[in-house]
Amino acid sequence: MRKIENQIRQMNPKILKKAGPFSRLKDFLLCFSVFALWLFMISPLGAQTLDWMGQTAMVPTADKGAVEWKNQFTFYGDNNEFFEPFRVRETTLGQQFESFLDGSIKETTDFWAGVFVDHRSAQAVTVNAEPILSFIYHGGGSQFVLGTLLPVYRHGLIEPMEDTTLELTRPIEYGLEFIQKDNFVNLDSFLNWQQILTDVDREIFDYGGSARLPIWSDFTLLGQLHGYHVGGEQYGGIVRNNLAGGLGIGLDENFLGATTLEVFGLGSKDTNRPDYPGPVLGYGIYTKLIVSPDRQWQFFGISWFGQDYMAEEGDGNYNSLGTDGVYYESSRTYEELGVRRFVEIENGVTFDFELRSHWVDASWANSFRIMAFVPFDVTIDRRNQNPAEQ
Amino acid sequence: MTVLCISFLPLAVIAGDVILENTITLYGDAEGFNGPYRQGQTLLGQELKSFLDITKGGHVILQAGLFSVNQEQQNSQFDLQPILSFKYYTDTTDLIFGTIENENRHGYLEPLEDPLLEFTRPVEYGLQWKEKDTGFQSDWFLDWQDLNVVNQPEIFDYGGVTLADVDEHFGLEFQFHGHHEGGRIFFVHVINNYVPAIGFRLHGPLPVLGESSLAIFGIVSCDFEGQYITGPDWGNGFYARAGVTPLGLFEIYGIMWNAQDFFSDEGDPNYNSQGLDPNYYQASRTYEEIGLKKTLTDHKGFLIDAELKSEWADITWALSGKLVATVPFNMELPIKEKKVVKE
C-alpha cells in the first residue's frame, strides 16, 4: 500500500503538467470560477510536495502473499487555447477507471489481471476498454514489468520528449519496463508497443526513459531518451525513426522556500519522414525553474530555444514542424509560466490543478488542467500470507 | 463492470462504506402539438440507474456504475452510459466532477431548458458546483455533450440557477443558460446562445386554495452567432406561472408567456420565435398553458408524478400529458477498503 500511495502521490503532481487555456472568455469565466472555488474549498486540507519532478515511481505491488483488488478512478479536464502552427485548441474532459487483481505469487513476483476504461465526457461516445495483464518481478529497488505498463509522468520524460497530453490520451501502455530506484540512480526505462505489423498497418513502437543520478551535494545528473519507430519489413513500406535525447543538470535548493532548477541540452534526429522540410538533426535547450515559497503552491517557468528540433511524441510547441506537416520554422522559442497546486484531500484522494500561460514564438495562449484521483483498494485474499504479517 | 467485479468477491471482505444504489424509472410523455414550433411526440420507456456509492472519508464520495435506457418498441436496443462521478462535499457545498446531477433540469424554467430533456438527456457529464444553505441554493454546471471530431463540432451547455430567499414566502432567482457549438480543431462554424433570466417566486398556503405559488421572470436571449439567420440577435420574454393546490389534492397551474424575438437553443420550442422550418419566424409570440399536476411520494423514495396540460401556442391548441414512476432500491455491500498506511 505504501508503494501505491507513493505512486499516486507522485503521479498526480506530474500528470498535471499540461493543460488548456481560455481564449474563449465564456469557458474561462465559467470553468475558472468553479475551479477557483474548488481550490479554495480544499486548500486547507493538505499540502503538496515539491516532488513533482522526481519522476521515478515504482509500480504498485500487493502485500506479500495477498491478493488485492486495486482500483483507481481518474477524473480529468484539460483545456488549451492554442491557435498557432504548432498546436491547435483542444478540450479533453473525461473519466478513467482502472481495476485489476494484484496477486502476490511469491515475495518477488506479482501478477495483474484486470481492465482499463476511458470515457470521454459526451452524450454519444464509445467507451474504450483495454485489458490489464502484467507480470512484475521486483526486489531490491528494482522492478521489471512485462505486459501492461501504467506509466507515471510519462516515464519522467520532459515536455519536448513526450507531450503531457499523452497522460490523458495514452494512460496505459503495453510492453516492457525496468525501474530502478535507490540511492545511486532513479531510472525508468520502457518499450511501448503501439501497433502491430499487419498487411495494412505498420508496426509502431516507442521506447526510452529517464534517469536521475545524484552527483554532488544538491546537484543531479539527468538523462532523457525517447525513440519512435515506424516500420516492419514483412510487408514492405516506409521505415522511419525519430530519436530525441539529452543530458541535463538539476539543482535543488532551499531558496525562496523550495526551489528546483533543471537545464537540459537536447538533440533530435528524424529520418525518412516523407516530405520533411527540415534537416535530419536538430537541438534545443530546455530550462525549468520551480519555486514553492510555502511548499504548497508551485510557481514555475519554462524556457526553450530550439533549432530544427523535432520529437515525434513531444509537445508540438517545442518542434520546428507545424501540425499540418508543411509549416516549418527552423529557429524556435517557447516560454511558459504557470502555477500548480496539488492537494491530498483524504484517504489517498488527491486533487491537482494547474494554470499556465504560453508564449509560442509571437503568439500567446492560456491553458489549464484539473484532475482528481480516487484509489480504492480491497484485500480479498490473505491465505498465502504469513500470519504474523496479517 | 464494477458491479461484475464485486460479484466475484469472497465474503471475507465484509463491512464497508459501499452502497449499491439502483433507481428504476418508468415514463410516458405525450406532446400533442403539431404546429410550427414543435411537433407531436410520444415517449415511452424505462431507465435503470445502478451505481456504487463509495464513501472516502468525510468529504469525498465516488460513484461508479451504469445508466441504461430503453425506449419502448419492438426490437429496441438498450442505450448504456457510464456513471463515474467524483464529489467533494461539505455541509453546504457539493463540487462534482464527471457525471453531474441534473434532476429537474437544474431547476430551469421551460424557456431555458425543454422539460423533454429529462427523458432525452437524463445523464450529463462535466463539472458542477451546488450550494445549499438556509435561504440560499444554487446549481451551476458545465455539461459536455459532444466531442470535436471530424465533421462534428464540440457541443456543450453551461449555466445555472441561484435562488435567495428574502423571507419565508418570497425569494429572488437568477438563471442563466448558455449553449455552444464550435471547436477549432476541424474548423467548423461556431454557434453561441445565451439566455439569462431574473425574477422572483412567491409561495405559501392560502385558505381553500391550499399551497400556492407565483413566479414572475423577465428573460433575455442573445443569439449573436446563431444557427438561424432569421430574426435579430437580441430577444426578450415575460414568463409568469401561478399554481394552487385546493384541498391538497393536486396542483392547478397556469403559465403565461409573452415574447419578442426570443430564441433559446435548448428551451421548449413553443417559447421561441424561430419555427421548425428555418424560414418560419414569428417575432411576437404568446404561449399559455393550464395544467393539473399531482406528485405522490413516500419516505422510501418511491415517486409518481402525473401531469396533464392544455397548451396554446399563438393560435394553435394541443393537449399533453406525462406520467413518471420512480422506484429506488439500495443495498449495502460487504466491501471494506484496504487501509492506507502512511509512511
Side-chain angles (χ1 to χ4, degrees):
Chain A
M1 180 40 83
R2 248 179 239 164
K3 289 172 182 172
I4 301 169
E5 191 185 14
N6 286 341
Q7 170 151 7
I8 293 165
R9 195 172 283 158
Q10 292 180 27
M11 169 166 36
N12 300 346
K14 295 159 184 177
I15 285 180
L16 257 265
K17 291 220 90 173
K18 189 118 234 179
F22 335 109
S23 39
R24 287 170 293 188
L25 185 62
K26 61 188 182 305
D27 308 343
F28 171 75
L29 291 176
L30 177 68
C31 297
F32 184 75
S33 57
V34 173
F35 305 153
L37 179 80
W38 194 319
L39 280 178
F40 174 75
M41 295 298 299
I42 62 182
S43 56
L45 298 175
Q48 67 193 49
T49 67
L50 194 55
D51 190 31
W52 74 329
M53 297 187 84
Q55 302 94 338
T56 307
M58 309 295 274
V59 301
T61 53
D63 291 344
K64 180 185 165 189
V67 177
E68 295 176 0
W69 178 34
K70 296 183 188 298
N71 302 279
Q72 170 139 315
F73 299 82
T74 304
F75 300 83
Y76 60 91
D78 186 298
N79 179 58
N80 70 65
E81 296 296 325
F82 295 118
F83 196 56
E84 28 85 7
F86 305 101
R87 284 185 70 172
V88 289
R89 172 186 294 176
E90 187 173 14
T91 303
T92 308
L93 193 66
Q95 309 90 40
Q96 293 167 352
F97 169 49
E98 69 184 44
S99 178
F100 60 90
L101 293 177
D102 181 351
S104 173
I105 302 167
K106 292 173 107 179
E107 187 176 353
T108 56
T109 309
D110 277 47
F111 178 73
W112 296 346
V115 69
F116 171 87
V117 176
D118 185 20
H119 172 251
R120 294 286 294 272
S121 287
Q123 290 296 319
V125 295
T126 54
V127 177
N128 297 319
E130 298 178 79
I132 295 176
L133 283 169
S134 296
F135 168 85
I136 301 106
Y137 181 81
H138 53 92
S142 303
Q143 288 184 326
F144 173 74
V145 185
L146 175 61
T148 308
L149 314 181
L150 300 176
V152 176
Y153 186 32
R154 311 178 313 282
H155 303 283
L157 293 169
I158 57 177
E159 297 88 340
M161 312 287 286
E162 272 208 353
D163 190 347
T164 54
T165 308
L166 286 170
E167 293 164 9
L168 306 178
T169 57
R170 197 173 71 196
I172 67 170
E173 300 174 343
Y174 296 96
L176 308 165
E177 186 174 23
F178 177 73
I179 302 168
Q180 180 71 36
K181 189 166 188 175
D182 54 32
N183 292 331
F184 174 68
V185 65
N186 286 357
L187 170 72
D188 183 343
S189 56
F190 69 97
L191 167 68
N192 168 37
W193 211 273
Q194 299 181 29
Q195 185 170 287
I196 56 174
L197 180 65
T198 67
D199 54 350
V200 292
D201 290 324
R202 306 297 289 153
E203 71 177 11
I204 298 176
F205 59 83
D206 70 298
Y207 55 95
S210 65
R212 305 171 65 85
L213 188 71
I215 47 176
W216 176 67
S217 184
D218 296 323
F219 288 89
T220 307
L221 179 64
L222 309 169
Q224 300 258 321
L225 179 73
H226 185 266
Y228 181 88
H229 170 79
V230 178
E233 293 186 358
Q234 189 174 348
Y235 298 103
I238 191 167
V239 176
R240 67 182 182 87
N241 286 287
N242 179 271
L243 189 66
L247 292 173
I249 293 288
L251 173 64
D252 296 297
E253 278 294 335
N254 291 323
F255 173 68
L256 294 176
T259 301
T260 297
L261 174 68
E262 293 190 350
V263 181
F264 282 93
L266 301 178
S268 69
K269 182 181 181 183
D270 195 82
T271 54
N272 290 346
R273 184 186 297 271
D275 302 322
Y276 185 60
V280 170
L281 297 175
Y283 59 89
I285 297 174
Y286 170 96
T287 307
K288 183 166 191 173
L289 177 68
I290 307 174
V291 178
S292 180
D294 60 354
R295 296 180 184 268
Q296 296 184 19
W297 290 91
Q298 294 182 357
F299 301 90
F300 62 89
I302 295 174
S303 163
W304 169 256
F305 298 95
Q307 184 72 33
D308 300 311
Y309 182 83
M310 175 62 203
E312 180 77 29
E313 296 199 330
D315 184 337
N317 280 331
Y318 294 80
N319 288 340
S320 284
L321 184 66
T323 51
D324 60 2
V326 176
Y327 184 89
Y328 192 85
E329 194 166 312
S330 185
S331 296
R332 289 295 322 283
T333 61
Y334 172 77
E335 292 88 32
E336 182 178 315
L337 287 176
V339 60
R340 180 173 171 277
R341 179 84 161 97
F342 174 67
V343 183
E344 182 169 348
I345 301 175
E346 57 186 353
N347 289 343
V349 179
T350 55
F351 179 75
D352 208 348
F353 170 78
E354 192 170 339
L355 179 64
R356 300 182 196 153
S357 208
H358 311 257
W359 290 263
V360 187
D361 292 335
S363 70
W364 173 76
N366 285 314
S367 69
F368 70 81
R369 177 180 284 192
I370 55 171
M371 295 188 83
F373 300 87
V374 187
F376 185 79
D377 296 346
V378 178
T379 301
I380 60 175
D381 188 0
R382 295 174 182 272
R383 280 175 297 184
N384 297 322
Q385 276 190 290
N386 184 326
E389 291 175 347
Q390 294 180 40
Chain B
M1 184 175 311
T2 308
V3 177
L4 286 175
C5 291
I6 284 171
S7 63
F8 291 106
L9 287 176
L11 291 176
V13 289
I14 300 291
D17 299 319
V18 181
I19 298 173
L20 176 62
E21 295 199 13
N22 305 282
T23 305
I24 298 171
T25 302
L26 310 170
Y27 64 87
D29 186 288
E31 299 290 332
F33 269 104
N34 206 8
Y37 306 104
R38 71 184 301 166
Q39 292 192 323
Q41 185 178 10
T42 303
L43 296 175
L44 277 172
Q46 310 92 37
E47 296 170 353
L48 171 63
K49 192 174 186 180
S50 180
F51 60 87
L52 296 176
D53 197 297
I54 302 168
T55 302
K56 295 277 296 183
H59 292 285
V60 175
I61 287 179
L62 176 74
Q63 294 180 341
L66 288 172
F67 176 88
S68 78
V69 61
N70 173 47
Q71 292 275 336
E72 279 188 356
Q73 56 176 334
Q74 294 297 318
N75 304 318
S76 64
Q77 292 182 329
F78 277 94
D79 182 20
L80 282 177
Q81 290 178 278
I83 294 172
L84 279 171
S85 182
F86 170 85
K87 182 194 281 189
Y88 175 83
Y89 66 95
T90 66
D91 291 342
T92 57
T93 303
D94 286 344
L95 298 167
I96 301 170
F97 198 1
T99 308
I100 61 176
E101 298 174 354
N102 62 344
E103 296 89 356
N104 194 31
R105 310 180 322 280
H106 304 280
Y108 277 127
L109 301 170
E110 297 86 344
L112 278 76
E113 272 209 352
D114 189 347
L116 218 54
L117 286 170
E118 292 174 26
F119 306 121
T120 58
R121 198 172 70 201
V123 177
E124 296 180 341
Y125 301 100
L127 305 164
Q128 187 171 30
W129 167 39
K130 294 174 79 174
E131 196 75 32
K132 190 168 187 178
D133 206 345
T134 308
F136 178 86
Q137 66 182 63
S138 73
D139 176 352
W140 290 81
F141 70 97
L142 167 71
D143 164 37
W144 209 273
Q145 299 177 28
D146 273 318
L147 306 176
N148 186 203
V149 296
V150 178
N151 297 325
Q152 177 185 290
E154 68 183 10
I155 301 176
F156 58 83
D157 71 298
Y158 55 96
V161 174
T162 294
L163 173 63
D165 290 338
V166 176
D167 67 23
E168 188 182 353
H169 302 294
F170 180 72
L172 297 174
E173 187 167 325
F174 174 72
Q175 303 198 352
F176 177 81
H177 186 267
H179 176 88
H180 169 82
E181 296 183 24
R184 289 192 183 176
I185 299 177
F186 300 104
F187 304 98
V188 293
H189 181 53
V190 174
I191 290 172
N192 280 301
N193 179 255
Y194 313 98
V195 187
I198 190 163
F200 66 85
R201 292 184 188 270
L202 196 59
H203 60 90
L206 292 175
V208 183
L209 297 177
E211 187 63 32
S212 306
S213 63
L214 173 68
I216 305 285
F217 281 86
I219 308 178
V220 174
S221 70
C222 316
D223 208 43
F224 297 123
E225 304 159 302
Q227 55 181 312
Y228 299 106
I229 55 172
T230 50
D233 291 343
W234 289 87
N236 60 79
F238 172 80
Y239 173 96
R241 185 188 191 279
V244 295
T245 316
L247 305 175
L249 294 175
F250 46 77
E251 185 189 30
I252 303 173
Y253 70 87
I255 294 175
M256 193 198 84
W257 171 253
N258 203 315
Q260 184 74 27
D261 299 309
F262 183 84
F263 180 75
S264 171
D265 246 311
E266 296 202 334
D268 183 338
N270 275 330
Y271 293 78
N272 288 342
S273 286
Q274 176 65 52
L276 292 170
D277 179 344
N279 296 315
Y280 185 90
Y281 190 84
Q282 181 88 20
S284 295
R285 285 296 322 282
T286 60
Y287 173 78
E288 292 89 31
E289 182 178 315
I290 293 176
L292 299 175
K293 188 174 181 181
K294 178 69 176 177
T295 302
L296 296 172
T297 186
D298 71 356
H299 66 283
K300 291 183 178 175
F302 171 76
L303 183 143
I304 287 182
D305 193 4
E307 192 174 347
L308 184 65
K309 56 190 177 183
S310 184
E311 301 160 284
W312 292 265
D314 296 338
I315 56 170
T316 314
W317 175 80
L319 202 61
S320 300
K322 181 174 82 169
L323 182 64
V324 180
T326 303
V327 185
F329 174 71
N330 300 337
M331 209 165 62
E332 275 191 42
L333 293 180
I335 299 173
K336 185 178 180 182
E337 184 179 9
K338 184 183 176 187
K339 297 281 185 214
V340 176
V341 180
K342 296 270 184 188
E343 272 189 309

